[in-house]
Amino acid sequence: MNIDIRHLAKLSRLNFSPEEEAKFSGEMEKIVELVEKLPNLDASGPLIDPSNPMTLRPDRVENKPNRNELLQNAPETQAGCIVVPKVVE
Amino acid sequence: MELYQLTAEKLSAMLANKECTSEELTQSVLRRIEAKEPEIKAYLTVCAEEALKKAKEVDQKRAAGEKLHPLAGIPMGIKDNICTRGIKTTCASRILENFVPPYDAFVMEKLHAADAVILGKLNMDEFAMGSSTENSYFQKTRNPWNTEYVPGGSSGGSAASVAAGEAVVSLGSDTGGSIRQPSAYCGIVGLKPTYSSVSRYGLVAYASSLDQIGALGRSVKDVAMVYSAICGRDPHDATSAVREYPDFAAGITGNVKGLRIGIPKEYFGEGVAADVKEAVWKAAKALESAGATLVEVSLPSTDYALSAYYIIASAEASSNLARFDGVKYGYRTQNFSNLTEMYENTRSEGFGAEVKRRIMLGTYVLSSGYYDAYYKKAKFTQLRIQDEFNKAFEACDLLLTPTAPDTAFRIGEQVDDQVKMYMNDILTVTVNIAGLPGLSMPCGFDGKGLPVGCQLIGPKFSEQVLFDVASCWEQQNGGFDLAATLA
């Protein structure tokens, strides 16, 4: 089995040192081997769960936590805004 | 007899009869926490001041003659993945080390309305991923029956605190066995309710289609009391069922006459330890002599459940945990020169190894070219497992199985073998996959003196039946003996 750890890490927004990569690669292979054990069944139909209909609530503003309270958890703030690195080059 | 040793049922009556105050009770539990914590390490945060303040408030309400909820004044612990306004909620992860939720989970609103006393937040496997509570970034919780052993997981703090008398009852969450397996390992009662009966609003999401908040306690009635307090419709959780619930604790009869208890042979296979099988059979036989009938049933796809579970849970986790990016809340790395590096380094420094493994597995099974082979096939396997349960419930009213294949293992024994660790969940994941209620009750001990858990599984919304059956066994067998874990 060949799992491209580097590609998966990129998709997952994670990075690994070469040693970690080797360790993860071995572990992932064993885990994938475990989860591959699935029955032969027809998996071509749609996947819906009619026994579990969801009820959506009306789109109404309620119980809004205030801005200061929300910003208290932000890693870096300035003038009531969250500071982030430059997004568009 | 100290107050912390008693059950919520007994304490609720004592409080109502003014035989003790909530302040005295809370003091007693806090003293117990102080004495046992260095050894057990169940709590990540203890809110002694706030707990005492709340206890005094409840005592005043009672003195003023207010009509109070049965849980009013009862001190309880909360798993640290349930958002508590103004109290740190870390999920035992570095990435949420300093996160203070600006809102309460729905279950917390319900508990506050019931005037429960909140003692603090309980240790767990990081993001509820694990079966031993060894995946916590902060500390390893120990099993009160033998501190060389794990308490199980992921709700290890929730189970250990209750078994050590450091909380009267607690809340946990269960995605693949995370309430039932630690309850079994710590010799207490734990309920994973029917999916959709308890709101997940404010529960930090691991696998949203499987996650469910539930209760842990030293008696069946205690668990029923907490479940009654937290279940119910919440418009903030779109999957929450529109339904009325009875008072489960008051409804317990302990009568099993005429009930058909199914014994699925696949749950007693060669992977299950002999001591465990023996103890579980003893419970089954006792229920039979109390008037129930034992019926053999078959759930042939049980062998595939673990695969389906890890695929579905990891797929959802990889998507749910994408929100931890170092932008709006939580840990942010200091080491970056652009946005992508900030994301990658934040997540690589903030998540532990098991969380990374599940994010990677989830990304793998959802990635282009693998989706049909893994994720879609797992979802169809899930439907087949649900069908098999439905068929089994035509022949019986509930199922009785071991909760876990073995009793607790030594700390460190399985940390390097993920596959072995995942096998701990083999008898519990089916319940989450099918959305059913499952209850673990203590049913004896193995040769090492460690508790064995017996699992009861019922059709959706059959919690009352599970409580009745567990209560029948509890009455015959005697309740939890806190004296046994006092040493």
Side-chain angles (χ1 to χ4, degrees), chain A residues 15 27 36-37 69 73 83, chain B residues 85 100 332 345 348 357:
Chain A
N15 53 37
E27 290 171 353
E36 266 179 341
K37 214 174 118 193
E69 216 173 1
N73 282 300
V83 179
Chain B
R85 185 178 177 141
V100 180
R332 179 188 287 186
N345 293 344
S348 300
R357 271 191 289 272

Side-chain angles (χ1 to χ4, degrees), chain B residues 47-175:
Chain B
C47 318
E49 254 175 64
E50 295 88 336
L52 285 170
K53 188 170 159 247
K54 178 72 187 185
K56 282 178 206 167
E57 261 174 49
V58 180
D59 288 337
Q60 278 161 10
K61 281 190 188 180
R62 202 181 302 273
E66 271 187 50
K67 189 172 158 25
L68 297 175
H69 189 277
L71 279 183
I74 303 289
M76 58 188 295
I78 308 294
K79 188 176 182 180
D80 211 20
N81 60 350
I82 296 170
C83 283
T84 43
R85 185 178 177 141
I87 304 171
K88 267 204 291 191
T89 299
T90 69
C91 287
S93 180
R94 184 184 189 194
I95 214 158
L96 288 175
E97 189 170 4
N98 297 307
F99 178 65
V100 180
Y103 71 105
D104 267 323
F106 182 73
V107 292
M108 294 313 299
E109 287 175 17
K110 296 272 261 186
L111 290 179
H112 291 319
D115 285 313
V117 172
I118 307 306
L119 295 162
K121 304 300 291 289
L122 295 160
N123 197 25
M124 54 187 279
D125 284 300
E126 185 180 2
F127 284 103
M129 298 177 187
S131 310
S132 67
T133 313
E134 290 167 292
N135 292 336
S136 166
Y137 172 66
F138 302 105
Q139 64 198 33
K140 289 183 179 35
T141 299
R142 288 162 185 276
N143 191 317
W145 292 89
N146 183 333
T147 52
E148 301 291 307
Y149 286 73
V150 301
S154 68
S155 309
S158 304
S161 59
V162 168
E166 294 185 57
V168 178
V169 285
S170 67
L171 290 191
S173 69
D174 189 316
T175 306

Side-chain angles (χ1 to χ4, degrees), chain A residues 40-59:
Chain A
N40 272 322
L41 41 68
D42 174 21
S44 57
L47 273 171
I48 47 161
D49 181 3
S51 67
N52 207 0
M54 290 199 260
T55 317
L56 300 178
R57 69 192 147 89
D59 186 10

Side-chain angles (χ1 to χ4, degrees), chain A residues 11-15 24 27 32 34-37 39 43 45 47 54-55 57 62 69 73-75 82-83 85, chain B residues 85 99-100 235-236 238 304 307 311 326-330 332 345 347-348 357 363 374 377 379-381 418:
Chain A
L11 293 175
S12 308
R13 288 277 188 259
L14 291 168
N15 53 37
F24 256 78
E27 290 171 353
V32 170
L34 170 79
V35 305
E36 266 179 341
K37 214 174 118 193
L47 273 171
M54 290 199 260
T55 317
R57 69 192 147 89
E62 52 181 68
E69 216 173 1
N73 282 300
I82 292 168
V83 179
Chain B
R85 185 178 177 141
F99 178 65
V100 180
H236 288 103
Y304 300 118
S307 307
I311 290 171
V327 175
K328 294 189 290 296
Y329 51 84
R332 179 188 287 186
N345 293 344
R347 291 164 62 79
S348 300
R357 271 191 289 272
T363 306
Y374 292 109
K377 217 167 161 191
K379 290 297 283 182
F380 277 90
T381 306
Q418 288 84 37

Side-chain angles (χ1 to χ4, degrees), chain B residues 6 8 24 27 32 81 112 122 124-125 136 186 216 238-239 276 291-292 340 379 412 419 423 425:
Chain B
L6 303 172
E24 287 162 2
Q27 290 278 19
R32 177 70 176 170
N81 60 350
H112 291 319
L122 295 160
M124 54 187 279
D125 284 300
S136 166
C186 291
L216 300 91
T239 60
V276 170
T340 306
K379 290 297 283 182
V419 169
M423 297 302 258
D425 303 334

Side-chain angles (χ1 to χ4, degrees), chain A residues 60-81:
Chain A
R60 234 186 2 239
V61 176
E62 52 181 68
N63 273 341
K64 210 169 64 173
N66 69 49
R67 184 164 74 171
N68 287 341
E69 216 173 1
L70 288 172
L71 286 177
Q72 269 167 15
N73 282 300
E76 196 183 344
T77 59
Q78 211 176 73
C81 297

